[in-house]
């Protein structure tokens, strides 16, 4: 199962929120909170432990806090909790259910952008197996180039 689609969506959301946040703040330091709830249905996904194809359903709740400081810098933090199910196309394969959490921190100042995300997913199969994914990603972009990137993912099938 893949969380790349969710991470990409949240990364794009964070960039858009950081881009529009200055318009939401007329002047000085201020914070807004954005809450979202959505259900994503993703057919054609692959269980990385078994190779089975199927459908992932994410029932997601997100909370973002956006703060703009008087100097124009913008800071975003966010947290998602997700109920996850994987239903294979082949009914003889294991069905999985569990939870995922996703944390995001991003800062934008004049000329630079930095973001760090962490993801933890743990689902249990109807056959008693577990699938666990943990990932930490960090990115710093300056006016001249990408100055730091880290993306460490761990997948455990047990």
């Amino acid at each position: 199962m893949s969380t790349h689609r969710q991470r990409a969506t949240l990364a794009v959301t964070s960039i858009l929120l950081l881009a529009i946040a200055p318009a939401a703040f007329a002047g000085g330091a201020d914070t807004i909170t954005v809450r979202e709830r959505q259900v994503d249905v993703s057919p054609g996904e692959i269980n990385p432990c078994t190779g089975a194809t199927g459908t992932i359903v994410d029932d997601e709740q997100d909370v973002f806090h956006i703060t703009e400081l008087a100097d124009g810098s913008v800071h975003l933090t966010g947290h998602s909790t997700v109920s996850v199910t994987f239903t294979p196309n082949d009914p003889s394969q294991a069905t999985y259910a569990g939870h995922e959490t996703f944390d995001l921190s991003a800062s934008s100042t004049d000329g630079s952008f930095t973001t760090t995300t962490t993801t933890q997913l743990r689902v249990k199969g109807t056959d008693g197996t577990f699938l666990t994914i943990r990932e930490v990603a960090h990115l710093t972009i300056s006016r001249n180039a990408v100055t730091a990137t880290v993306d460490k993912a761990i997948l455990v099938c047990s």
Side-chain angles (χ1 to χ4, degrees), residues 1 47 86 94-98 123-131 158:
M1 287 184 273
N47 179 330
F86 174 78
T95 298
Y96 287 80
V123 291
K124 182 178 182 181
T126 52
D127 61 356
T129 61
F130 285 91
L131 183 149
S158 57

Side-chain angles (χ1 to χ4, degrees), residues 109-137:
T109 60
D110 186 29
S112 70
F113 172 78
T114 300
T115 185
T116 301
T117 60
T118 60
T119 302
Q120 294 188 37
L121 169 80
R122 182 153 171 95
V123 291
K124 182 178 182 181
T126 52
D127 61 356
T129 61
F130 285 91
L131 183 149
T132 304
I133 297 173
R134 291 186 184 100
E135 182 171 17
V136 175

Side-chain angles (χ1 to χ4, degrees), residues 135-153:
E135 182 171 17
V136 175
H138 178 80
L139 173 67
T140 299
I141 301 172
S142 68
R143 289 181 188 196
N144 299 325
V146 174
T147 57
T149 59
V150 174
D151 190 354
K152 182 177 181 180

Side-chain angles (χ1 to χ4, degrees), residues 12-123:
V12 168
T13 301
S14 70
I15 292 168
L16 290 173
L17 288 171
L18 286 172
I20 65 171
F25 304 107
D30 204 356
T31 300
I32 61 172
T33 299
V34 177
R35 289 179 170 76
E36 287 186 14
R37 178 148 191 193
Q38 63 191 35
V39 175
D40 296 323
V41 178
S42 303
E45 296 291 335
I46 298 173
N47 179 330
C49 296
T50 66
T53 59
T55 300
I56 295 175
V57 176
D58 293 333
D59 184 351
E60 179 177 338
Q61 296 181 43
D62 306 319
V63 177
F64 296 99
H65 303 284
I66 308 164
T67 302
E68 182 184 27
L69 301 177
D71 66 2
S73 62
V74 179
H75 304 282
L76 166 75
T77 58
H79 179 80
S80 296
T81 56
V82 186
S83 293
V84 179
T85 60
F86 174 78
T87 304
N89 296 337
D90 177 354
S92 70
Q93 295 286 323
T95 298
Y96 287 80
H99 291 89
E100 177 180 13
T101 59
F102 181 88
D103 292 298
L104 168 74
S105 174
S107 294
S108 175
T109 60
D110 186 29
S112 70
F113 172 78
T114 300
T115 185
T116 301
T117 60
T118 60
T119 302
Q120 294 188 37
L121 169 80
R122 182 153 171 95
V123 291

